[in-house]
Amino acid sequence: MSSTKSPPLTLLLCLALAACAPKPDVVIYCALDQVHAEPIIRRFEAQTGLKVQAEFDVEAHKTVGLVRRIREESGSTRCDVFWNNEFAHTVAMAEDGLLASYDSPAAADIPPLFRDEQHRWTGFAARARILIVNTDLADPTTIHGMDDLLDAAWRGRVGMARPLTGTTLTHMALLFPVLGEERARAYLSGIIDAGVNLTSGNATLMRLVREGELAFGWTDTDDFNVAREAGYPVAAVYPDQETVGTLLIPNTVCILERAPHPEAARRLVDFILSPEIEATLAAARSAQIPVRASVSRPPHVRSAADMRVMEVDYAALGTEVDHRLAELRERFLR
């Protein structure tokens, strides 16, 4: 006679607990750092009584891990809402038919630059691409923009993240439509020829500048604010105010085309897009820049209304970012 072993008691208990656990009313995948996003999500739960299952990205994968999951799950969608900390992958998913159209009433006063014409995604709470300057090594009033990195006087003393992931990839890819093909390629070649130090990421670049190993370089305002709060001798230069302007990279939020809980998803999106949440993110350590001029912010956070913002065709970038990445890999992985 054959015999079968009973499942261990601990396994049975775990299965029973899982079966009894309340099912979520809405599921959100979130690429913004958990320390900033989770309190906002819990505030939504407290105000609405809805249960949110929030799944966050790990730093090593940045946004790419969650995007990959959404694409892999497209045949049987688990996620209702995607809160991305940038826009390129969001736009690409919209173009691939993965996002639903929803014209949130909370987004009515968000500038058209940050709203998809088909209402598949909305941008809010941006980071700016800035030059972080060590004021012990350089006078920030003499540094004006992107071309300063190529100045022979700073050879070996400036840097940027290798432009293959994250906001640096987005930034360099956007140079093509903003500057034109010829000027963009000349700038990328200039980075290599000028001996610009290439780091593993924006946070690494920030640390090298704040510690005085580099004089200045490209980073994001959230990384700059970490150094500023810690009391390091740093300043932020919002670049190219007399030419192409400063690039803003907004968070984006969207609803999946096959969201299992569409009504709750819309309520969550409305909440995230409210002016109160932009104000919360501006006051947080990440110092996000409100895209609405009317939203309150602390003195150290610039207003998008008082700077020249780079004019960007966000939709166009989403369709060509992979093509640009291939070219950047060829240039910067030699």
Side-chain angles (χ1 to χ4, degrees):
M1 295 177 62
S2 62
S3 61
T4 58
K5 293 183 178 180
S6 299
L9 180 59
T10 53
L11 176 59
L12 292 174
L13 288 173
C14 288
L15 292 172
L17 289 172
C20 295
K23 293 184 178 180
D25 297 299
V26 60
V27 177
I28 184 171
Y29 288 1
C30 184
L32 183 67
D33 289 345
Q34 185 171 353
V35 66
H36 302 306
E38 189 162 36
I40 291 170
I41 293 168
R42 300 312 163 207
R43 193 192 309 177
F44 171 79
E45 288 184 316
Q47 290 186 14
T48 64
L50 296 175
K51 175 65 178 176
V52 181
Q53 180 178 320
E55 300 188 20
F56 296 92
D57 214 351
V58 295
E59 180 64 23
H61 294 156
K62 297 189 181 290
T63 304
V64 177
L66 289 177
V67 171
R68 184 182 300 116
R69 284 181 61 185
I70 289 171
R71 290 186 177 279
E72 290 173 349
E73 294 168 359
S74 61
S76 180
T77 303
R78 294 182 58 250
C79 173
D80 296 293
V81 174
F82 181 38
W83 179 350
N84 198 357
N85 64 351
E86 56 90 37
F87 63 88
H89 288 290
T90 304
V91 174
M93 289 195 298
E95 295 304 311
D96 289 340
L98 298 178
L99 306 183
S101 177
Y102 175 54
D103 188 8
S104 170
D109 59 345
I110 289 179
L113 175 65
F114 303 106
R115 300 173 64 189
D116 176 45
E117 290 183 354
Q118 299 181 46
H119 310 300
R120 296 167 298 181
W121 55 266
T122 306
F124 66 104
R127 289 172 288 171
R129 288 289 293 168
I130 55 97
L131 293 167
I132 181 174
V133 182
N134 185 304
T135 55
D136 288 341
L137 301 177
D139 179 357
T141 65
T142 66
I143 298 166
H144 305 290
M146 58 190 295
D147 290 334
D148 289 302
L149 274 80
L150 310 186
D151 190 329
W154 296 108
R155 186 176 183 86
R157 303 170 64 196
V158 297
M160 61 180 280
R162 195 176 297 275
L164 303 178
T165 59
T167 57
T168 310
L169 166 61
T170 299
H171 187 182
M172 295 301 111
L174 278 171
L175 293 184
F176 288 89
V178 171
L179 300 179
E181 299 281 329
E182 184 176 346
R183 285 185 60 200
R185 290 195 173 93
Y187 185 71
L188 295 172
S189 296
I191 288 170
I192 297 169
D193 296 341
V196 174
N197 291 277
L198 300 175
T199 72
S200 60
N202 294 317
T204 302
L205 183 283
M206 174 271 289
R207 287 190 288 269
L208 291 172
V209 172
R210 78 180 186 185
E211 300 292 344
E213 295 184 45
L214 294 176
F216 64 91
W218 284 118
T219 193
D220 297 334
T221 42
D222 58 339
D223 289 310
F224 163 76
N225 196 55
V226 170
R228 183 198 67 83
E229 281 192 343
Y232 286 91
V234 293
V237 171
Y238 288 74
D240 304 301
Q241 289 298 287
E242 301 301 320
T243 55
V244 297
T246 296
L247 174 61
L248 294 186
I249 297 183
N251 284 261
T252 50
V253 68
C254 55
I255 298 174
L256 274 294
E257 174 63 29
R258 299 180 180 179
H261 312 98
E263 182 177 349
R266 289 190 286 270
R267 293 182 66 181
L268 179 54
V269 166
D270 293 344
F271 181 82
I272 290 171
L273 290 176
S274 68
E276 291 76 17
I277 297 308
E278 273 211 311
T280 296
L281 292 169
R285 197 181 188 203
S286 58
Q288 308 271 351
I289 298 170
V291 300
R292 303 166 171 100
S294 60
V295 170
S296 62
R297 54 188 171 76
H300 64 272
V301 176
R302 289 278 298 269
S303 169
D306 67 9
M307 71 176 81
R308 181 168 186 171
V309 175
M310 184 183 290
E311 295 185 12
V312 173
D313 186 342
Y314 290 104
L317 177 71
T319 61
E320 65 177 35
V321 66
D322 288 341
H323 167 67
R324 298 304 180 190
L325 175 57
E327 180 171 344
L328 291 167
R329 280 175 172 159
E330 184 176 344
R331 285 179 177 274
F332 290 95
L333 285 180
R334 293 176 179 174

